[in-house]
Amino acid sequence: MKIYWGDLHNHCGITYGFGSLENAIQRARGRLDFCAFTGHAMWPDIYSKTPETEFLVNFHEVGFKKLRDHWEEVRDKVAKANSKELVTFQGYELHSGKYGDHHLVSIDDNLPLVYRDSPKELVEACGKDTTIAIPHHIAYTPSYRGINWDYFDSSISPVVEVYSKHGCSINEDAAYPYYHDMGPRDTRNMVDEGLRRGYHFGFVASTDHHAGFPGSYGDGLVAVIAEKKTRESIWEGLRMGRTYAVTGDKILCDFCINDAYQGSVISALVRKLHVNVQTQAPLDKIVIYKNEKPYHILNGENYWEANQSGHYKIRVEMGWGDQTLYRWNGKIKIEGGSLTDIDTCFRGRNVLSPTQREASKIEQINDIASQAEMTSEKEMQFTCDTVGNQSTLHPCTSAVIVTVEGDLNTKVTVQMNEQSYQATIGELLQYGYTSHMKYYHSQAFKIHKALPESRYIFNIDMEDQLPEKDEDIYRVEVSQKNGQWAYSSPIFVRNI
């Protein structure tokens, strides 16, 4: 089995989002293995039209009509985009006060655009074997487009979106509270409440990005455990709940019990837990939860020794400055070692809830450069655009992460536009480096301290022989020092 990364819930100009579908597909190819492109389709219990709600209601109805008028064209473009490079899925979204918002994901390129009052009716109309309905931003107030656990049905919703740009829905104490204009998160609608009720479901994350940039860094990604990178194999992983959610960094979170993958329902009195984690930044902690209580904690503060030779991760972050769009052309070269992997952390510019004033000004908001490639085992190059941070608490920076095989004398050269800097791995283990592109309040880049494999590869093997309930629930959370998280899907273990 392998890990494949995707975004199953994002928006662009096919309804009332922004940016072209073509550009969104291109952005997805840059960072993802699979993607769905979601159109807003219906809101059966939308508010009555009054002078106060007129803009909101009209705005949605125009978007729904746009998707309806162009559905066959949208569906055809998504189908043609499916390839060995990027696996694509069809889909669209249902808003609902009664049931909470859901987005359909389908393996069927002939997915019909039908209108129903509930997610269950939608799935039945589209085909239960080819379509699932994923609840998202579930923690909003009941009847205010948060989930209604009374109506939850795991047969149509094998996975639940637990994180997106709206925030995290795991529990009341989770990082990333809700600060969208739709309101705060409500304890009654969180993931732990659904598990407490005995529901079985896996965890996914997606961006819910509204400006044509699926996979935008920091807004959420889903990892699917599958045999190969095909529609059928990834679809099977989704249906089985072999998934986990990350907030930004592609953290490896390999968790199993008695060789059963995440999302499994098994029977066992003796439970052999195995957790393999590979972070992209220094570890904060790994927590194994049993029945929503901490069962075992591994603290990253215990891991500070550095390798003399081996693998190292180096993150180069760029952005800052003002709100001017800035183009970065970068190269990273290695001497006395080699590159073994590269990853991108490129952000798209966000639109929270467009107003009438701004709606016509940002159609091509993310029609920007965004690409990276390893040109040899000694060099990689990339291009991306950034704008300044919206505030000191809202980062808009992008980054690339390279994995280098070498030793303390391996030289790393980072070239950013007209500037260049060189340091050894030994030096980068001791300090990072920053530089500005101009002399005054300008864009800047940062080479973070090198991260040795002793600080990003972690294994836990343990045995639990003390069942607590008829069915015990285990899951894993991983947090990094840079604020990025991973949330494994639960494994449900029944007593024999």
Side-chain angles (χ1 to χ4, degrees), residues 108-126:
D108 183 7
D109 276 331
N110 294 311
L111 175 69
L113 179 55
V114 297
Y115 295 81
R116 299 291 187 273
D117 290 337
S118 73
K120 184 174 183 178
E121 292 171 328
L122 267 180
V123 169
E124 290 176 345
C126 294

Side-chain angles (χ1 to χ4, degrees), residues 338-372:
S338 61
L339 290 171
T340 61
D341 191 33
I342 65 172
D343 190 21
T344 60
C345 305
F346 295 155
R347 298 182 198 263
R349 298 181 69 180
N350 286 320
V351 181
L352 191 61
S353 280
T355 64
Q356 190 170 11
R357 175 180 55 82
E358 67 182 344
S360 63
K361 299 179 180 180
I362 49 178
E363 181 60 34
Q364 298 304 320
I365 185 172
N366 281 307
D367 188 8
I368 58 178
S370 174
Q371 59 184 11

Side-chain angles (χ1 to χ4, degrees), residues 78-99:
V78 172
K80 288 181 178 178
N82 185 58
S83 66
K84 292 182 179 180
E85 182 182 17
L86 177 70
V87 173
T88 63
F89 294 95
Q90 303 288 345
Y92 50 83
E93 179 169 337
L94 160 78
H95 296 339
S96 175
K98 180 177 181 179
Y99 300 100

Side-chain angles (χ1 to χ4, degrees), residues 45 154 245 312 386 447 471:
D45 54 2
S154 61
Y312 307 85
T386 64
I447 306 171
E471 180 178 88

Side-chain angles (χ1 to χ4, degrees), residues 51-288:
E52 185 178 23
T53 64
E54 182 176 10
F55 169 72
L56 183 146
V57 173
N58 288 344
F59 182 82
H60 284 82
E61 288 180 345
V62 168
F64 299 155
K65 184 178 186 301
K66 185 177 182 182
L67 183 67
R68 183 168 63 250
D69 290 346
H70 299 277
W71 175 240
E72 291 187 6
E73 175 188 349
V74 168
R75 192 175 60 183
D76 184 58
K77 287 181 179 179
V78 172
K80 288 181 178 178
N82 185 58
S83 66
K84 292 182 179 180
E85 182 182 17
L86 177 70
V87 173
T88 63
F89 294 95
Q90 303 288 345
Y92 50 83
E93 179 169 337
L94 160 78
H95 296 339
S96 175
K98 180 177 181 179
Y99 300 100
D101 286 15
H102 291 65
H103 54 284
L104 295 190
V105 178
S106 178
I107 197 172
D108 183 7
D109 276 331
N110 294 311
L111 175 69
L113 179 55
V114 297
Y115 295 81
R116 299 291 187 273
D117 290 337
S118 73
K120 184 174 183 178
E121 292 171 328
L122 267 180
V123 169
E124 290 176 345
C126 294
K128 292 191 70 172
D129 293 334
T130 58
T131 309
I132 60 176
I134 304 179
H136 60 259
H137 55 52
I138 65 171
Y140 284 121
T141 306
S143 78
Y144 207 89
R145 293 173 59 190
I147 198 170
N148 188 330
W149 287 117
D150 291 340
Y151 296 108
F152 180 75
D153 183 349
S154 61
S155 70
I156 66 165
S157 300
V159 295
V160 171
E161 186 178 286
V162 304
Y163 177 84
S164 72
K165 65 189 290 80
H166 287 260
C168 183
S169 311
I170 292 289
N171 55 46
E172 189 67 59
D173 299 324
Y176 300 104
Y178 281 20
Y179 286 114
H180 192 280
D181 59 13
M182 289 172 63
R185 60 189 181 187
D186 188 299
T187 306
R188 295 169 291 174
N189 275 11
M190 303 239 178
V191 165
D192 56 358
E193 171 65 11
L195 295 177
R196 185 188 67 78
R197 293 191 183 200
Y199 293 125
H200 291 172
F201 54 89
F203 296 174
V204 299
S206 289
T207 62
D208 201 358
H209 200 278
H210 276 61
F213 204 112
S216 178
Y217 178 72
D219 291 337
L221 293 176
V222 52
V224 171
I225 302 165
E227 290 185 359
K228 50 189 176 181
K229 187 176 172 179
T230 64
R231 265 188 180 174
E232 293 73 19
S233 187
I234 292 172
W235 181 251
E236 180 190 22
L238 280 172
R239 293 295 299 263
M240 298 298 293
R242 293 199 304 264
T243 60
Y244 66 91
V246 301
T247 60
D249 284 351
K250 292 178 179 176
I251 300 168
L252 172 66
C253 184
D254 179 18
F255 170 48
C256 59
I257 297 178
N258 296 355
D259 297 324
Y261 291 104
Q262 300 173 43
S264 297
V265 181
I266 63 174
S267 297
L269 290 177
V270 177
R271 298 91 183 265
K272 295 181 179 180
L273 285 70
H274 171 73
V275 181
N276 170 235
V277 168
Q278 294 188 29
T279 61
Q280 299 278 39
L283 176 70
D284 176 29
K285 61 181 180 289
I286 301 170
V287 182
I288 301 175

Side-chain angles (χ1 to χ4, degrees), residues 193-469:
E193 171 65 11
L195 295 177
R196 185 188 67 78
R197 293 191 183 200
Y199 293 125
H200 291 172
F201 54 89
F203 296 174
V204 299
S206 289
T207 62
D208 201 358
H209 200 278
H210 276 61
F213 204 112
S216 178
Y217 178 72
D219 291 337
L221 293 176
V222 52
V224 171
I225 302 165
E227 290 185 359
K228 50 189 176 181
K229 187 176 172 179
T230 64
R231 265 188 180 174
E232 293 73 19
S233 187
I234 292 172
W235 181 251
E236 180 190 22
L238 280 172
R239 293 295 299 263
M240 298 298 293
R242 293 199 304 264
T243 60
Y244 66 91
V246 301
T247 60
D249 284 351
K250 292 178 179 176
I251 300 168
L252 172 66
C253 184
D254 179 18
F255 170 48
C256 59
I257 297 178
N258 296 355
D259 297 324
Y261 291 104
Q262 300 173 43
S264 297
V265 181
I266 63 174
S267 297
L269 290 177
V270 177
R271 298 91 183 265
K272 295 181 179 180
L273 285 70
H274 171 73
V275 181
N276 170 235
V277 168
Q278 294 188 29
T279 61
Q280 299 278 39
L283 176 70
D284 176 29
K285 61 181 180 289
I286 301 170
V287 182
I288 301 175
Y289 286 89
K290 179 181 179 181
N291 300 323
E292 292 305 297
K293 295 179 293 185
Y295 177 71
H296 180 80
I297 300 174
L298 188 152
N299 195 316
E301 305 298 341
N302 296 326
Y303 296 86
W304 286 91
E305 68 275 13
N307 308 73
Q308 295 297 309
S309 62
H311 291 84
Y312 307 85
K313 289 185 183 288
I314 299 171
R315 181 187 298 252
V316 180
E317 187 177 7
M318 65 224 72
W320 292 276
D322 58 24
Q323 292 298 304
T324 303
L325 195 66
Y326 188 84
R327 172 68 50 84
W328 299 89
N329 293 297
K331 290 183 179 180
I332 300 177
K333 302 178 182 179
I334 306 299
E335 298 178 43
S338 61
L339 290 171
T340 61
D341 191 33
I342 65 172
D343 190 21
T344 60
C345 305
F346 295 155
R347 298 182 198 263
R349 298 181 69 180
N350 286 320
V351 181
L352 191 61
S353 280
T355 64
Q356 190 170 11
R357 175 180 55 82
E358 67 182 344
S360 63
K361 299 179 180 180
I362 49 178
E363 181 60 34
Q364 298 304 320
I365 185 172
N366 281 307
D367 188 8
I368 58 178
S370 174
Q371 59 184 11
E373 63 175 337
M374 189 186 303
T375 55
S376 73
E377 66 174 13
K378 303 288 185 181
E379 181 178 311
M380 68 86 68
Q381 60 186 23
F382 64 91
T383 300
C384 73
D385 293 344
T386 64
V387 295
N389 301 320
Q390 296 177 5
S391 76
T392 56
L393 298 177
H394 297 84
C396 295
T397 58
S398 289
V400 294
I401 304 171
V402 298
T403 304
V404 178
E405 184 175 13
D407 56 33
L408 301 184
N409 296 315
T410 299
K411 292 181 180 179
V412 180
T413 301
V414 177
Q415 180 179 329
M416 301 290 279
N417 293 349
E418 68 276 7
Q419 296 194 25
S420 182
Y421 182 78
Q422 185 179 86
T424 66
I425 291 289
E427 291 169 334
L428 290 175
L429 286 170
Q430 300 300 315
Y431 61 86
Y433 173 84
T434 64
S435 182
H436 292 259
M437 308 309 289
K438 300 177 182 178
Y439 73 96
Y440 180 72
H441 279 195
S442 81
Q443 291 77 16
F445 68 92
K446 176 181 176 67
I447 306 171
H448 290 254
K449 291 176 64 177
L451 186 67
E453 59 186 281
S454 59
R455 293 188 61 199
Y456 70 79
I457 298 177
F458 308 92
N459 286 284
I460 301 173
D461 287 286
M462 58 192 310
E463 190 172 289
D464 180 13
Q465 301 186 39
L466 298 174
E468 295 179 355
K469 301 180 177 181

